[in-house]
Structure formats: structure tokens, C-alpha cells
Amino acid sequence: MAQNSARIPGRHALHIPGPSPLPDRILRAMDTPIIDHRGPEFAKLARKCLDGIKTIFKTTNPVIIYTATGTGAWEASLVNTLSPGDKVLMVETGQFATQWKNMAIKLGLSPEFIKTDWRIGADPAVLEARLKEDKKHEIKAVCVLHNETATGCLSPIAEIRKAIDRAGHPALFMVDTISSLASADYRHDEWGVDVTVGGSQKGLMLPPGMSFNAVSDKALAASKTSKMTKSFWAWDEMITMNKQGFFPYTPATQMLHGMSVAIDMLHEEGLDNVFARHNRLAEGTRRAIKAWGLDIICRDPKYHSPTITAVIMPDGHDGDAFRALALENFNIAYGSSFGPFAGKMFRIGHLGDINETAMIGGLGATEMALAMARVPHKKGGVQAAMDYFVSTRSSSAQVAAE
Ligand code: PLP
């Protein structure tokens, strides 16, 4: 929060790429007395969440719900399916892919990391070529981020599936959807993903602290022979108890109350509309940035992210100093910079419970902050975003036709 006055009027503009703002309806659903997590009322709630979350991942198989942040669900995906020393193929799309890779090393796996310049997503052709070379099928899993939160690059998961199939490779396919689930089109079953990792705090519009593994039959079969040490993360006990609507340990009851409403809200809007809204907000944001004369990290439009856009600062201007100035003066928070782009960018989140009005407010604050920070830029970014939002509203098309 801004530090320059005792009371900060108005809402904080939370434009980090998650956790995303909580809708009041979800906050209210969570503001309810604790119930017995071994009782019938809880079982009803849990069943609703366990069934409902499948419709978000688009799977008919179990989705395991962990009381843990996304990092826990990363660990769960690896320790349930693999054995010590197993080779896994990962792609260095950015900071979060790097963290997953570092975790694999710490767990005793043997990751091979395909390099990128952090400005694109995972390239199916590169994965296919590497898998074709692996004639002995030593690679046991391919792990990819659907959306790299550190850079704003989205990877084509359906195409990567096809690339794995073209290579005739039997590796498991694991996908992190932490910053894309319920914001970008995603189909666990149809796209042949074996483990999908998800988190509560972004598209699902919930607080941080809950995460998911959606699993395929192939992943379940692999879990029977996996030799990694596991206890809390083990799928088998969870799946058995979930069938009755219970958990092997005390679940995050209030989060489940929120989740039940979040799933309702996503279906009330319609998932396709949710995805279209995120695409529009992202495109409006990119148009504003272009009109300012600034560039974004994602250098190839085919990888543009619907949930986060990372803005490159002109030489001589520090992205994190800019974030501090914007927070201080306009009570807006952006995502920080990482790795090769440390100090050289700031990230605008446009995901979760957000609409054009909030986005224009956020972009307006950004344009004001660019002026205050004397960052060289052109005026008119907010106008470009407004023009785009108006031109893509169906009612504006109607007005134009009249
Ligand atoms: N994967 C991605 C793509 C993320 O964006 C994040 C966090 O933002 C994580 C993994 C780690 O999740 P958590 O911070 O909830 O542990």
C-alpha cells in the first residue's frame, strides 16, 4: 500500500499477476462459521468442489485438492509419478519454469532444461526434435508451463501434445496452469495431459493456499510404480477418501466455501466468455503499451499471454523503482522483475475478477506514473485501450450499424 498518507482512500489497484482481486461474493461465502470437516455438511461441500473443479480442468478423472500453494502441487506432480534419477525434459520459459526445474534437482530427478531467451513460450518443434533423439526413451516426463508468469508467454499445450505423439515418445506430459487456469482455454483430457498443476489464487479468484493435480489414467498407473518418497502429497489416500467427500487431513474449509462459489461464478459467466474477456483485456493492455511506444517481453504474438503482460523499461529506467513510484503515488501494484530482466521490466496482471473499467483505471495509473517517473513515452495509451474495448463490445457494433 502507498505510504504517503495515513488513510489511503479508494481501492488498492492490484495488478500483480496473482494473487488476483477477490470478488465480494467469494469473500462473503468464506465469511461463515467453521463446520465439522468429518460431518455430512462438509461432505456435501467437498463433493461439490471435487466435482466442480473437474469442469474447470475439463477432465472426468480425479482432481486432487491440496492445502498448499502451487509449489506444493508442483512437488506432488513429480513425486507421485517419477522415481529417483529419472530424466525430465523442461523448458526454460522464465523464472517459474526455472523454479520447477530447481525443485526437480532437489528432489533427486535429472532435469534437462531447453534454453530460451525468456521471450517466447515452449516451442513444440524443439520438444519434438529432442524427443525423437531419445531413442531409448530415457526421458520419463515432459514438464511445461502453460503460462510463464514471469514473462507473459503462453505455450501451445495442444500442439505440444501432438509433437510428443509425432515423436512417438511415451513420456508423461505435465503442465503447470497456475497463471492460466480459468483464464485461458485449457482441456486436460482432450489435450492428453497426464498431470495438470493448478493454483487457487489467480483465475479461480480465491486466496493463495490451495492447489491442484488433475491426473490422467496414465499418471495414476505411473503412481503405482513411482519410487519417490512421499507422504502428504500421495494421491492414493486422497483419492480414496475424496470418494466419500473427505480428506486424509484437515482441509481448508473456508477455501472450499469460496471455491464452490468461484466455480458457480465461472459457469454463470461461461468459461468461453471468461477466456474471451481475458483475451480482450490483454489485447487492450498491449495496445496501450504499443501506443506509449514501449515494448513487451513476449516477442512473438503467437505466445501472447491472456493474463499478464511484461513491459520492458527504456534504458536508464529501473522497473522496480517505477513500481515503487506507482504504488506510492497511485496505489497500484505491478509484478516485479526477475532473472535476465531484473530491474528491466514490470509486469501488469490482467486476470481473475477484472473488467474493462478496472483495466482502464490500471492503465490510467500506469500512464500517469510513466509521466511522473519521466519515462520517455507517447501519450494516448489509455485512449488506444478504450478504443479497442469499445470497438470489440457487441453493443458498439450495434450502435454503429444503426
Ligand atoms: N507456477 C507459476 C506459473 C506461478 O505463477 C507460480 C506463482 O506465482 C507458481 C508456480 C508457484 O506457486 P505458489 O507461489 O502458489 O507456490
Side-chain angles (χ1 to χ4, degrees):
M1 292 285 157
Q3 303 292 318
N4 58 355
S5 66
R7 186 183 108 76
I8 302 157
R11 288 226 170 198
H12 175 55
L14 186 66
H15 278 282
I16 58 173
S20 65
L22 295 191
D24 292 349
R25 192 167 148 201
I26 290 180
L27 274 172
R28 288 197 194 100
M30 295 176 69
D31 183 9
T32 184
I34 302 283
I35 56 172
D36 172 13
H37 63 288
R38 309 267 182 223
E41 193 184 340
F42 179 84
K44 220 168 121 199
L45 171 69
R47 283 258 41 105
K48 185 179 171 212
C49 291
L50 287 160
D51 289 343
I53 195 69
K54 293 183 190 187
T55 64
I56 307 297
F57 283 95
K58 297 203 174 142
T59 180
T60 53
N61 265 12
V63 177
I64 288 104
I65 302 178
Y66 291 110
T67 305
T69 71
T71 305
W74 263 349
E75 181 158 343
S77 67
L78 300 175
V79 298
N80 275 287
T81 53
L82 299 169
S83 296
D86 275 357
K87 191 172 242 194
V88 291
L89 188 59
M90 298 173 134
V91 184
E92 188 193 356
T93 44
Q95 178 69 18
F96 290 97
T98 304
Q99 283 174 213
W100 202 9
K101 183 264 300 179
N102 289 343
M103 169 185 276
I105 293 172
K106 285 186 211 158
L107 290 171
L109 296 165
S110 183
E112 180 178 322
F113 213 26
I114 296 176
K115 295 255 169 253
T116 81
D117 61 359
W118 285 39
R119 297 196 63 186
I120 53 169
D123 183 341
V126 173
L127 283 163
E128 183 178 341
R130 178 62 192 97
L131 290 172
K132 277 184 176 155
E133 280 170 20
D134 181 37
K135 302 257 184 293
K136 291 193 193 148
H137 296 165
E138 285 171 348
I139 295 167
K140 299 300 173 203
V142 174
C143 301
V144 171
L145 267 60
H146 188 204
N147 190 68
E148 174 53 79
T149 322
T151 62
C153 294
L154 190 83
S155 291
I157 300 305
E159 285 177 42
I160 294 174
R161 170 76 263 168
K162 286 185 200 143
I164 298 171
D165 292 345
R166 273 196 303 272
H169 202 289
L172 291 164
F173 186 25
M174 309 211 207
V175 179
D176 170 330
T177 62
I178 288 178
S179 59
S180 56
L181 187 74
S183 315
D185 187 17
Y186 189 77
R187 309 172 195 186
H188 175 89
D189 286 2
E190 191 184 321
W191 293 351
V193 180
D194 294 303
V195 186
T196 302
V197 173
S200 55
Q201 74 269 31
K202 307 200 190 225
L204 277 178
M205 309 174 286
L206 292 167
M210 193 181 255
S211 55
F212 313 96
N213 276 180
V215 297
S216 70
D217 289 339
K218 186 172 160 186
L220 287 170
S223 74
K224 306 288 177 225
T225 53
S226 150
K227 295 195 173 52
M228 301 289 285
T229 304
K230 55 195 153 287
S231 168
F232 181 81
W233 306 115
W235 289 341
D236 47 2
E237 211 185 330
M238 271 285 220
I239 291 173
T240 306
M241 291 206 65
N242 282 174
K243 285 186 185 140
Q244 320 303 322
F246 297 114
F247 287 73
Y249 50 75
T250 316
T253 326
Q254 303 320 92
M255 291 283 279
L256 290 167
H257 281 298
M259 184 175 161
S260 155
V261 171
I263 294 166
D264 286 348
M265 287 173 71
L266 288 165
H267 287 306
E268 283 164 20
E269 184 177 352
L271 284 179
D272 288 343
N273 294 329
V274 171
F275 306 148
R277 172 168 56 84
H278 281 84
N279 281 332
R280 290 180 66 246
L281 295 176
E283 178 60 23
T285 303
R286 287 190 295 267
R287 286 186 185 213
I289 296 164
K290 197 167 170 211
W292 290 326
L294 300 176
D295 205 356
I296 65 171
I297 295 282
C298 185
R299 64 176 162 80
D300 184 339
K302 75 171 182 253
Y303 297 114
H304 276 165
S305 165
T307 57
I308 161 238
T309 305
V311 185
I312 301 178
M313 292 300 277
D315 282 346
H317 292 268
D318 183 277
D320 293 315
F322 174 73
R323 287 171 52 236
L325 176 142
L327 177 65
E328 176 83 14
N329 290 282
F330 301 114
N331 196 15
I332 184 168
Y334 311 108
S336 58
S337 58
F338 295 108
F341 295 101
K344 296 186 177 140
M345 67 164 172
F346 69 99
R347 295 173 301 139
I348 304 177
H350 30 79
L351 73 168
D353 188 40
I354 178 167
N355 58 16
E356 293 94 335
T357 310
M359 204 62 238
I360 288 299
L363 293 171
T366 310
E367 194 161 325
M368 290 190 288
L370 288 170
M372 275 195 82
R374 299 188 199 286
V375 174
H377 69 287
K378 291 183 240 149
K379 300 286 171 207
V382 176
Q383 187 64 54
M386 290 195 296
D387 291 347
Y388 172 73
F389 291 152
V390 170
S391 71
T392 50
R393 270 275 163 200
S394 50
S395 54
S396 80
Q398 236 165 26
V399 171
E402 278 162 16

